[in-house]
C-alpha cells in the first residue's frame, strides 16, 4: 500500500478514478544466520545486485538490526534493476555502477553477464519469491552467485475494505510486479477476461 501513492496521485491528476487495492505485503526475513554469514564473506564477491526497491529497504534494515553499516560494502560494485532501486541506494550513500536500460530481471541478467569480469562471484539481494531468471542466466554463463533472501512476500485480501460493486466497474488494473498479479487473482474471484491489464514489464505481463 505504501508504494501505490505516487502512481495513484498522478493518475488522479489525469482524471482517473483510482481504487488502491493492496493485495501483497512484504515483510523482512527474520532469519539472520545466512545473512550474517554472507556479510562475513563479502571479500569473495565483486558485485552486490539489488533486484527491487523492497530489497534495498529490507537489506538496510537487516544491516542495522545486526549492528552493521555501509562500510562493510566498500570493496563491492553495486547494480540496481531500475531507477527507483537506484534512487534508494543513492539515498543511502551508495553509487550504482550498473543499471540496465530496460528495468527488468531479463535485461539485468543480460547486462550483468556482459559486464562481469574476473573470477569473483555476485551477491543477489532478493525476496524469497523472486523469479529464477537472474540465477539461471548467471549459471548458464558460468558466473558464481549467492542468493541473500532479505524479505518475503505475503498475499492479502483487502476486499473487506471495498464494496463488491466497486470491483465490477474496473476498466483497467495496474500491476507493478508479478506478485501483484498473483495477489489480485487470489483476492478476486471474477471473470478476468473483462479486465484490461497494465503491467510494469514483460515478466508481469
Amino acid at each position: 500500500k505504501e508504494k501505490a501513492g505516487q502512481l495513484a496521485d498522478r493518475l488522479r491528476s489525469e482524471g482517473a478514478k483510482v481504487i488502491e487495492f493492496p493485495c501483497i505485503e512484504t515483510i523482512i526475513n527474520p532469519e539472520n544466520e545466512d545473512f550474517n554469514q554472507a556479510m562475513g564473506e563479502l571479500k569473495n564477491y565483486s558485485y552486490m545486485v539489488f533486484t527491487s526497491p523492497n530489497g534495498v529497504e529490507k537489506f538496510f534494515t537487516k544491516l542495522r538490526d545486526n549492528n552493521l553499516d555501509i562500510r562493510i560494502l566498500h570493496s563491492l560494485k553495486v547494480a540496481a534493476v531500475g531507477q527507483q532501486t537506484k534512487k534508494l541506494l543513492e539515498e543511502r550513500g551508495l553509487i550504482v555502477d550498473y543499471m540496465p536500460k530496460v528495468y527488468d530481471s531479463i535485461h539485468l541478467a543480460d547486462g550483468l553477464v556482459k559486464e562481469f569480469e574476473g573470477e569473483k562471484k555476485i551477491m543477489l539481494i532478493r525476496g524469497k519469491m523472486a523469479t529464477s531468471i537472474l540465477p539461471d542466466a548467471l549459471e548458464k554463463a558460468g558466473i558464481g552467485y549467492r542468493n541473500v533472501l532479505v524479505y518475503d512476500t505475503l498475499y492479502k485480501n483487502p476486499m473487506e475494505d471495498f464494496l463488491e460493486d466497486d470491483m465490477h466497474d474496473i476498466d483497467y488494473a495496474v500491476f507493478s510486479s508479478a506478485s501483484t498479479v498473483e495477489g489480485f487473482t487470489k483476492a478476486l474471484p471474477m471473470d478476468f477476461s473483462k479486465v484490461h491489464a497494465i503491467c510494469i514489464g514483460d515478466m508481469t505481463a
Side-chain angles (χ1 to χ4, degrees), residues 119-131:
E119 298 300 322
K120 287 188 179 179
K121 298 182 289 185
I122 294 177
M123 189 170 286
L124 307 177
I125 308 301
R126 290 153 49 89
K128 285 186 174 182
M129 292 178 60
T131 71

Side-chain angles (χ1 to χ4, degrees), residues 12 16 24 38 40 45 55 64-65 82 85-86 100 115 127-128 131 134 147 156-157 159 162 165 184 196 198 203:
R12 289 188 183 106
I24 63 168
Y45 296 82
R64 287 193 300 273
D65 289 348
T85 304
K86 177 184 177 185
E115 168 89 2
K128 285 186 174 182
T131 71
L134 185 50
N147 279 315
K156 54 189 294 186
N157 190 341
M159 272 306 295
F162 297 92
D165 288 346
F184 181 78
H196 298 281
I198 298 172
M203 193 66 205

Side-chain angles (χ1 to χ4, degrees), residues 18-109:
V18 180
I19 299 171
E20 294 181 43
F21 194 74
C23 47
I24 63 168
E25 178 182 6
T26 56
I27 61 169
I28 195 163
N29 181 4
E31 299 167 13
N32 282 325
E33 184 176 349
D34 182 65
F35 180 83
N36 283 330
Q37 184 181 17
M39 293 304 101
E41 297 175 357
L42 289 176
K43 65 180 183 299
N44 298 325
Y45 296 82
S46 56
Y47 252 109
M48 180 170 282
V49 181
F50 292 87
T51 62
S52 71
N54 283 320
V56 176
E57 293 174 349
K58 301 301 191 290
F59 174 80
F60 279 90
T61 297
K62 288 188 75 68
L63 278 187
R64 287 193 300 273
D65 289 348
N66 289 279
N67 200 31
L68 300 168
D69 63 28
I70 64 170
R71 286 174 292 183
I72 69 169
L73 308 179
H74 66 91
S75 63
L76 294 171
K77 288 186 175 181
V78 176
V81 70
Q83 194 64 48
Q84 186 61 26
T85 304
K86 177 184 177 185
K87 179 174 179 285
L88 291 178
L89 288 165
E90 289 175 344
E91 287 174 356
R92 289 159 174 80
L94 293 177
I95 294 174
V96 171
D97 299 285
Y98 177 75
M99 181 182 72
K101 291 182 179 178
V102 179
Y103 306 153
D104 63 23
S105 294
I106 296 171
H107 291 86
L108 177 62

Side-chain angles (χ1 to χ4, degrees), residues 106-154:
I106 296 171
H107 291 86
L108 177 62
D110 289 345
L112 283 173
V113 168
K114 293 173 184 174
E115 168 89 2
F116 196 79
E117 295 178 2
E119 298 300 322
K120 287 188 179 179
K121 298 182 289 185
I122 294 177
M123 189 170 286
L124 307 177
I125 308 301
R126 290 153 49 89
K128 285 186 174 182
M129 292 178 60
T131 71
S132 64
I133 290 172
L134 185 50
D136 287 351
L138 296 176
E139 283 186 18
K140 186 176 180 181
I143 298 171
Y145 69 91
R146 177 177 188 150
N147 279 315
V148 180
L149 305 178
V150 295
Y151 70 95
D152 198 4
T153 302
L154 307 179

